[in-house]
Amino acid sequence: MQIPKNTVYTVSRLNGEVRQLLEGQLGKIWLNGEISNFSSPSSGHWYLTLKDHYSQIRCAMFKGRNQSVSFKPVNGQQVLVKGAISVYEPRGDYQLLIESMLPAGEGLLAQQFETLKLKLAAQGLFAADTKRALPKNIQRIGVITSPTGAAIRDVLHVLARRDPSIEIIIYPTQVQGDNADHHICQAINIANQRLEVDVLLLTRGGGSLEDLWCFNSEALAHTIYNSALPIVSAVGHEIDTTISDYVADIRAPTPSAGAELLSQDRAAKAHTLAAVQSRLQQAAKHYQLKTEQRLRTLEHRLQRHEPKRRMQQLTQRFDELQLRLSAALSERLHRLSRRQQSLSNRLEQQSPKHKLVLEANRVEYLANRLQTAMHDTLSHNEQRIKYAAHQLDTVSPLATLSRGYSITTDAHDHIIDSIDKLEVGDRLQTRLRHGQVTSTVTHISPIELTKAAT
């Protein structure tokens, strides 16, 4: 069987064509999920997995993109990301290349805002040619706002200062919280039914995106668009922008600015300039939306042939190998550490220190036994000496002396035990119990034994 050459793919070719197919078909998408397996190697790129209860997808956010993220992602955090689907060709894994990241709550609102803005722009609600000019001679102004908020006080103060002749009719409404957009729509419809004012000022003070969310309602946008009365939107501070600002005939940056815009005590061209400027801004934003869409399409086409994408994949591959090397080194060090500990334990068990301790204990034991034996031997010998001394003392001449006898020696220390050893004139030493006596022989006479016995 012969296989046509053009139908045989290499793995690299297949992965490359799959990448181009995914990037060309899906383009940029928004994705909501929970972060897991987050890592940030030394290159500064971020790698993570986004998951929900049933699925997960690998993601990468390169250094040039993640520097604009205002928070440090952590595992378990819910986020909303925007990016393009691509394929990491070395592994054949499809992944999301993240361009922007927001916390889930704020991000969902921002996504809903952008989605609704694109939808309404496509329907023509922002078109500059649908904007109505303000009346040249305004006598009555209808203010749609909360009767207790700071915005109504600012509006009344500005109008009283600039043109006290203008009549003001307040259409009280809720401007924050659940169903606030429904109440605002009712107020606009009531004003259109009565037709008692020349223009409507929709206003409230500044706040967070959640606080101003009722002004991003699709129902409110259509109500403003369908209003027979011109509407000036003056919601929040200058940096705040809502859907009502895009749909309204004129957008004022603050409640006070809206009141000044409707005040006619200044030259009429100030009003005309503000209207032209607002329309120009709306037209520029509309043109910007179309241009951004065109630019995104061209970016997708450019990225198919851009070497930067290949460099990103190589960088990602390098980071992956670096993480694997780091893990392998860590495991190797851990094994070596365990082996070193095992050898240390074995060396400790075979160490002569234990034998030295045992021998030291044995020497101490033997020394104690020797000391005891010596003490016992000395005590025994002492008893024997005492006994011998007693026996010796019993037969000692000194003991005889204690009984009244004496010992006589000549000049040469010879004991005199017979008169045959003496001559007249010899010097004698006589030892008594407590001393000795020196004497000279003057007479020698034998003793008859019979007389001595008598």
Side-chain angles (χ1 to χ4, degrees):
M1 179 178 179
Q2 187 174 4
I3 302 175
K5 292 184 178 180
N6 58 353
T7 62
V8 179
Y9 282 71
T10 64
V11 176
S12 299
R13 177 188 170 192
L14 176 62
N15 287 341
E17 292 195 11
V18 169
R19 177 182 64 81
Q20 293 182 12
L21 182 64
L22 287 176
E23 292 177 353
Q25 293 294 325
L26 292 178
K28 302 292 177 63
I29 64 169
W30 286 91
L31 185 64
N32 185 26
E34 178 184 340
I35 294 177
S36 65
N37 301 322
F38 177 81
S39 64
S40 178
S42 58
S43 63
H45 306 320
W46 290 352
Y47 302 101
L48 59 138
T49 299
L50 285 180
K51 65 179 184 178
D52 57 18
H53 294 295
Y54 307 103
S55 300
Q56 62 181 18
I57 182 175
R58 294 178 182 270
C59 303
M61 191 172 192
F62 296 106
K63 184 177 181 181
R65 296 289 188 178
N66 61 36
Q67 289 177 341
S68 62
V69 179
S70 60
F71 63 98
K72 184 64 179 291
V74 295
N75 289 328
Q77 183 178 14
Q78 287 284 341
V79 293
L80 181 72
V81 299
K82 179 183 179 183
I85 294 294
S86 183
V87 173
Y88 181 47
E89 296 181 24
R91 277 202 312 263
D93 293 339
Y94 90 99
Q95 62 181 1
L96 181 69
L97 300 180
I98 301 175
E99 296 182 0
S100 62
M101 179 183 296
L102 295 169
E106 180 182 345
L108 287 175
L109 292 180
Q111 181 191 18
Q112 293 173 16
F113 178 86
E114 292 295 331
T115 301
L116 180 59
K117 186 171 72 171
L118 291 174
K119 177 181 178 181
L120 296 178
Q123 295 175 0
L125 270 68
F126 303 164
D129 55 358
T130 64
K131 306 298 182 182
R132 290 158 296 186
L134 295 179
K136 294 183 178 180
N137 185 20
I138 297 176
Q139 300 296 322
R140 289 182 178 179
I141 298 176
V143 181
I144 301 175
T145 189
S146 170
T148 59
I152 187 61
R153 293 194 297 270
D154 293 342
V155 170
L156 294 176
H157 175 74
V158 171
L159 293 178
R161 174 174 54 84
R162 289 173 58 85
D163 191 356
S165 64
I166 295 179
E167 295 182 26
I168 302 169
I169 298 179
I170 300 174
Y171 298 91
T173 182
Q174 179 182 339
V175 292
Q176 181 176 334
D178 296 335
N179 297 322
D181 57 330
H182 176 69
H183 294 293
I184 296 173
C185 291
Q186 286 183 336
I188 294 175
N189 290 331
I190 291 174
N192 277 273
Q193 291 172 4
R194 296 179 180 176
L195 293 177
E196 54 190 352
V197 295
D198 302 316
V199 65
L200 291 176
L201 176 62
L202 176 61
T203 186
R204 69 146 282 167
S208 66
L209 183 59
E210 292 84 356
D211 295 336
L212 304 178
W213 192 246
C214 61
F215 295 91
N216 296 320
S217 164
E218 182 175 1
L220 177 59
H222 284 283
T223 301
I224 294 174
Y225 182 79
N226 295 323
S227 173
L229 296 170
I231 296 180
V232 175
S233 177
V235 178
H237 300 302
E238 188 170 355
I239 60 174
D240 298 323
T241 304
T242 63
I243 294 296
S244 64
D245 294 332
Y246 290 104
V247 184
D249 298 295
I250 294 178
R251 186 242 174 178
T254 63
S256 297
E260 290 182 358
L261 183 65
L262 296 175
S263 303
Q264 296 299 311
D265 61 333
R266 297 292 178 91
K269 61 182 179 180
H271 163 69
T272 304
L273 179 61
V276 171
Q277 182 181 12
S278 177
R279 291 176 182 175
L280 179 61
Q281 289 175 347
Q282 297 295 333
K285 290 177 180 178
H286 182 66
Y287 177 75
Q288 182 181 6
L289 290 175
K290 293 174 62 177
T291 305
E292 286 177 354
Q293 183 62 38
R294 173 66 176 167
L295 179 61
R296 285 194 291 268
T297 302
L298 293 176
E299 283 179 348
H300 289 312
R301 293 173 58 186
L302 179 62
Q303 286 173 358
R304 296 181 185 179
H305 309 287
E306 185 183 11
K308 179 181 177 182
R309 178 59 55 81
R310 179 63 178 167
M311 290 298 298
Q312 289 176 344
Q313 293 208 348
L314 291 175
T315 302
Q316 184 174 350
R317 177 63 174 168
F318 173 77
D319 290 336
E320 181 184 72
L321 294 175
Q322 187 180 43
L323 292 173
R324 289 173 58 188
L325 176 61
S326 177
L329 288 176
S330 178
E331 178 62 24
R332 176 67 174 168
L333 289 175
H334 185 61
R335 288 201 305 269
L336 291 176
S337 177
R338 289 203 305 261
R339 178 170 174 78
Q340 187 271 338
Q341 185 63 39
S342 176
L343 293 175
S344 296
N345 293 336
R346 291 175 58 189
L347 180 61
E348 183 71 17
Q349 293 173 359
Q350 301 297 327
S351 174
K353 180 174 65 175
H354 299 292
K355 294 184 178 180
L356 291 176
V357 172
L358 293 175
E359 291 299 325
N361 293 335
R362 185 168 176 271
V363 169
E364 183 179 1
Y365 171 71
L366 294 175
N368 291 335
R369 287 186 60 188
L370 177 61
Q371 185 72 19
T372 302
M374 291 177 61
H375 182 269
D376 293 343
T377 301
L378 289 175
S379 178
H380 178 68
N381 290 337
E382 185 179 356
Q383 293 297 326
R384 288 181 60 192
I385 290 172
K386 286 182 180 180
Y387 177 76
H390 177 70
Q391 294 296 325
L392 181 62
D393 187 61
T394 304
V395 297
S396 173
L398 297 178
T400 303
L401 294 178
S402 65
R403 293 196 298 272
Y405 294 92
S406 64
I407 300 173
T408 302
T409 62
D410 60 13
H412 301 290
D413 254 354
H414 297 147
I415 295 175
I416 305 300
D417 56 0
S418 173
I419 61 175
D420 295 336
K421 298 179 179 181
L422 296 175
E423 294 181 357
V424 175
D426 288 345
R427 292 178 62 83
L428 301 177
Q429 295 287 340
T430 303
R431 184 173 181 179
L432 303 175
R433 181 180 180 185
H434 295 298
Q436 64 181 9
V437 177
T438 302
S439 61
T440 303
V441 177
T442 58
H443 176 74
I444 301 173
S445 61
I447 300 176
E448 297 181 2
L449 294 175
T450 55
K451 291 182 180 182
T454 303

